[in-house]
Amino acid sequence: MADFTDKTVLVTGSSRGIGLAIAKAFDAAGANVILHARSEISPETLAEFKSEPKTLQFDIADPEAAESSLKALYKQESFSGIDILINNAGITKDQLAIAMTPADFAQVVNVNLNGTFNVTQPVFKKMIRQKHGAIINLASVVGLMGNMGQANYSASKAGLVGLTKTLAKEGARRHIRVNAIAPGMIVSDMTGALPEKTQEEILKNIPLSRFGEASEIADVALFLAGNDYITGQTITVDGGLYI
């Protein structure tokens, strides 16, 4: 495991699920972790960390809220900057395309894609001045292969892949690396709520015959954050679903 002592990591959407797993992995690796969520993070969640993480509370879909919260963070006297940004926050609102409302399509794209940009831009500007940094965007395998009932989600995650490649090109001269992780089916409240028959059908299409664990996404985030010669890539972690 890479040593991230004295590195500061911001993980959006880190009150639960994949985001929380990533934040805890960086905490275990010695990093100073900043947690983010739309609502207040519970004391029970904070107690899971070795150190006492900072917390941010704002809606990433609101560009003014994102900018003001990050500006306030950077103005703190003891704050030295963000070394690693993990853009994990996102939503789903599934429906077949013929029944999906324009509002449902726009909301998912606005949170997942625009929201990622809202957080990334102010941090990216600071990283340009720092002349170092790493950004990891949580895309999805459905952004690469599509999925029935997820036109909005697939489009937003495909957009993140394009954003990742562009930022990687723009940031390279200032030693800023930008990559994406595209998870497949990961054990979560959402997958756990699927009917058993549906889970069985999905498993038939996964060569490794199981859903992934959030910790396995966190492992890849640590790897990408610690490798100085990988940028502009999208790493699929999907048990072979997209081959």
Side-chain angles (χ1 to χ4, degrees):
M1 181 185 292
D3 183 5
F4 292 96
T5 301
D6 297 329
K7 300 294 184 183
T8 298
V9 184
L10 168 58
V11 187
T12 67
S14 48
S15 62
R16 59 189 175 88
I18 290 174
L20 179 58
I22 291 173
K24 288 169 69 175
F26 276 100
D27 176 65
N32 302 312
V33 175
I34 305 170
L35 303 178
H36 159 270
R38 280 187 299 176
S39 55
E40 186 175 356
I41 297 173
S42 71
E44 291 77 16
T45 297
L46 295 176
E48 296 180 32
F49 289 80
K50 292 193 308 179
S51 59
E52 187 175 341
K54 292 180 181 288
T55 61
L56 293 177
Q57 184 180 338
F58 62 88
D59 183 353
I60 65 170
D62 183 341
E64 293 181 357
E67 184 175 18
S68 62
S69 293
L70 289 165
K71 277 186 176 180
L73 176 67
Y74 277 101
K75 284 181 179 178
Q76 292 180 14
E77 189 174 342
S78 60
F79 189 70
S80 59
I82 295 169
D83 301 292
I84 302 161
L85 169 63
I86 314 288
N87 286 306
N88 168 74
I91 63 169
T92 59
K93 216 163 193 183
D94 298 347
Q95 182 62 268
L96 291 174
I98 58 172
M100 186 175 292
T101 66
D104 286 347
F105 187 92
Q107 183 183 8
V108 171
V109 172
N110 190 38
V111 172
N112 296 357
L113 182 55
N114 297 3
T116 295
F117 180 78
N118 293 340
V119 175
T120 300
Q121 187 183 48
V123 176
F124 193 61
K125 288 178 180 178
K126 295 290 187 180
M127 287 181 173
I128 291 288
R129 296 187 187 116
Q130 293 170 184
K131 296 186 179 180
H132 76 269
I135 299 172
I136 300 170
N137 297 320
L138 269 292
S140 170
V141 69
V142 304
L144 305 175
M145 61 185 285
N147 194 37
M148 288 187 63
Q150 290 192 307
N152 48 7
Y153 188 74
S154 298
S156 70
K157 295 300 185 177
L160 283 181
V161 173
L163 178 64
T164 296
K165 291 178 181 294
T166 297
L167 292 177
K169 290 183 175 182
E170 292 183 2
R173 291 185 180 180
R174 292 294 184 269
H175 308 288
I176 301 164
R177 296 174 298 99
V178 188
N179 293 288
I181 302 173
M185 295 297 293
I186 305 300
V187 174
S188 65
D189 293 341
M190 182 179 69
T191 55
L194 293 172
E196 186 175 342
K197 186 175 181 181
T198 301
Q199 293 190 41
E200 290 173 356
E201 289 299 314
I202 293 171
L203 285 170
K204 289 178 183 178
N205 295 313
I206 301 176
L208 289 182
S209 302
R210 68 175 179 87
F211 291 171
E213 299 287 341
S215 61
E216 292 172 307
I217 306 301
D219 289 343
V220 177
L222 288 170
F223 169 72
L224 289 174
N227 189 296
D228 287 333
Y229 203 58
I230 299 177
T231 195
Q233 302 305 303
T234 299
I235 309 298
T236 56
V237 188
D238 65 353
L241 178 63
Y242 181 59
I243 293 178

